[in-house]
Amino acid sequence: MPDRIYNFSPGPATLPREVLAQAAKDIVNYNDKGIGLIELSHRSKEFMAVAEETEALLRELLNVPDNYKVLFLQGGASTQFAMIPMNLLGPGKKATYLNTGTWAKKAIKEANIIASADVAYSSEDSSFNHVPAQSDYTVDPESEYLYFVSNNTIYGTQFHTFPETDKMLVCDMSSDILSRRIDINPFGIIFAGAQKNMGPAGATVVIIREDLLDRTPDSIPTMLRYKTHADKGSMFNTPPCFAIYAIGLVLKWLKKMGGVSALEEMNREKASLLYQAIDATDFIKGHARKDSRSMMNITFNLPSSELEDQFIEEGLAKGLDGLKGHRSIGGIRASIYNAFPRQGVLDLIEFMKEFEQKNG
Ligand SMILES: *Cc1c(COP(=O)(O)O)cnc(C)c1O
């Protein structure tokens, strides 16, 4: 087996090699203290320092304003689908949602369990191949917030400009957080599961405006209240220690690479190389409409599902792993998050050309 393959998996996803090597060492003996990282008490001064550093780096790299809390929670991004309406929508309240794919739909379902979701736009009829333009929907004046998914991991679409509305924005940034510069100020809540672009599975980052912490109805249980976690610096109970530590390593790597704006340039270049290869031939068809193309997840189809299976199998033999599209749309998906190397993109493009020559 080769020492390392190119992992195009949508998540858990590829991480920087040096992060894996450092984690492997620290798990056995953290900072030469004779104790493994994942054996440390979360209340120990060693781990408290790790958690503080991770939060400080995230604040620095994303330019998080002082009136926002940064939380590290468990339960995955999926738990946020329910926690958001639980905390922000009291009885009889509603919020507006943009239905741009599977993850948006799941969030809408949860919002309707707790309160009421006003779905102002859906691209479902066109297999979620685009995200709406500003003029495509209106936000109900009674809505508490406008919810959207910045990058639709499964369909390979992305908002290139964020919605503009006088309501606060709430956003699932699971698959593109830290991939481009953003202005946090229009957002009430941004959340992201770590396992796409930030670290290993196990932690969900929530960035929440402080004034929202006091809106939660009394009926909501302790663990599901943002304030519980905000008041205790994400240490109300045992936090996802390893994930927080590993996110910290990824953030240090990101900073060393030049920060979010440097990564944004690299991501843009990697994605455009791949889209150019897609556009250069009729053999391959991109799934996303051009104006909605994701820089993170590039989705495309070959002329038949048999050819797609063959492509995935032959790709794997060449060390190109994780290219199978999500079961809901099939086809091919290349996930190329921050840590995915440019060379892997070049290798995939070469393989695409070779494959077309043999089978086109
Ligand atoms: C993967 C993903 C999720 C689900 O994340 P979990 O942590 O598995 O709950 C939610 N939203 C988006 C955009 C995703 O890509």
Side-chain angles (χ1 to χ4, degrees):
M1 284 301 277
D3 183 38
R4 190 144 172 89
I5 58 169
Y6 288 117
N7 174 19
F8 290 90
S9 164
T14 207
L15 291 172
R17 178 73 188 238
E18 63 199 74
V19 165
L20 300 177
Q22 184 69 45
K25 181 177 161 294
D26 287 347
I27 280 181
V28 179
N29 188 358
Y30 180 65
N31 268 358
D32 295 322
K33 289 185 194 299
I35 181 171
L37 170 92
I38 54 179
E39 301 173 308
L40 287 172
S41 160
H42 59 296
R43 312 270 178 211
S44 66
K45 80 175 186 317
E46 286 83 9
F47 185 77
M48 295 288 272
V50 167
E52 273 163 34
E53 187 179 24
T54 301
E55 179 180 338
L57 278 165
L58 195 61
R59 285 183 170 278
E60 179 188 338
L61 288 164
L62 282 178
N63 252 316
V64 179
D66 288 343
N67 61 324
Y68 285 76
K69 294 282 191 192
V70 173
L71 312 177
F72 296 92
L73 306 182
Q74 299 190 65
S78 300
T79 297
Q80 294 309 307
F81 301 163
M83 254 178 100
I84 288 162
M86 279 179 167
N87 282 268
L88 299 187
L89 301 178
K93 299 242 172 105
K94 65 165 122 172
T96 295
Y97 280 69
L98 302 177
N99 181 16
T100 56
T102 307
W103 299 118
K105 253 176 109 164
K106 291 190 175 185
I108 290 165
K109 181 176 172 218
E110 299 301 297
N112 277 323
I113 292 172
I114 307 298
S116 170
D118 154 53
V119 181
Y121 188 85
S122 173
S123 50
E124 188 157 19
D125 288 347
S126 50
S127 315
F128 295 118
N129 73 350
H130 66 280
V131 297
Q134 190 68 40
S135 54
D136 290 340
Y137 59 91
T138 50
V139 181
D140 190 316
E142 305 279 288
S143 271
E144 298 293 324
Y145 57 82
L146 172 61
Y147 181 105
F148 71 107
V149 182
S150 54
N151 183 70
N152 297 281
T153 324
I154 293 173
Y155 300 91
T157 65
Q158 190 172 26
F159 281 85
H160 293 290
T161 53
F162 292 151
E164 272 177 41
T165 159
D166 53 352
K167 305 292 177 191
M168 71 175 156
L169 300 176
V170 171
C171 186
D172 178 354
M173 286 194 195
S174 291
S175 53
D176 68 352
I177 193 166
L178 293 160
S179 71
R180 55 174 166 173
R181 280 157 296 176
I182 53 164
D183 173 14
I184 305 253
N185 286 295
F187 293 90
I189 295 180
I190 291 171
F191 69 96
Q195 71 273 19
K196 309 280 165 59
N197 205 27
M198 216 165 12
T204 306
V205 167
V206 175
I207 302 170
I208 180 169
R209 215 175 62 206
E210 260 167 13
D211 62 286
L212 300 175
L213 298 172
D214 295 314
R215 284 179 40 165
T216 311
D218 292 341
S219 59
I220 304 304
T222 309
M223 274 297 283
L224 298 173
R225 308 173 76 88
Y226 289 120
K227 194 170 190 319
T228 302
H229 303 284
D231 284 351
K232 299 284 190 214
S234 302
M235 300 261 184
F236 171 75
N237 68 325
T238 316
C241 299
F242 176 72
I244 292 171
Y245 152 85
I247 292 169
L249 291 184
V250 171
L251 296 177
K252 278 185 220 168
W253 169 85
L254 214 156
K255 190 173 167 178
K256 201 180 75 186
M257 296 294 286
V260 172
S261 46
L263 261 300
E264 179 174 351
E265 292 314 309
M266 292 181 226
N267 290 330
R268 212 174 281 290
E269 204 247 348
K270 284 186 293 184
S272 75
L273 287 170
L274 207 38
Y275 284 122
Q276 275 166 31
I278 289 171
D279 290 340
T281 168
D282 289 333
F283 183 71
I284 299 171
K285 293 236 181 319
H287 177 75
R289 218 168 68 182
K290 282 188 182 169
D291 60 5
S292 301
R293 283 175 160 178
S294 168
M295 295 200 293
M296 302 273 94
N297 312 95
I298 283 93
T299 47
F300 57 90
N301 288 91
L302 301 181
S304 71
S305 62
E306 289 73 31
L307 280 171
E308 288 169 350
D309 290 345
Q310 188 188 331
F311 182 90
I312 290 157
E313 201 183 304
E314 289 178 18
L316 189 58
K318 288 184 181 299
L320 307 173
D321 194 11
L323 285 167
K324 194 170 167 54
H326 190 270
R327 58 192 179 279
S328 58
I329 59 163
I332 316 287
R333 170 174 51 174
S335 299
I336 50 169
Y337 302 116
N338 282 353
F340 190 89
R342 184 175 187 274
Q343 187 58 48
V345 172
L346 298 178
D347 285 10
L348 173 62
I349 292 169
E350 195 182 299
F351 171 57
M352 284 157 70
K353 288 184 180 152
E354 248 173 56
F355 190 85
E356 181 180 351
Q357 269 162 17
K358 281 197 212 128
N359 302 284

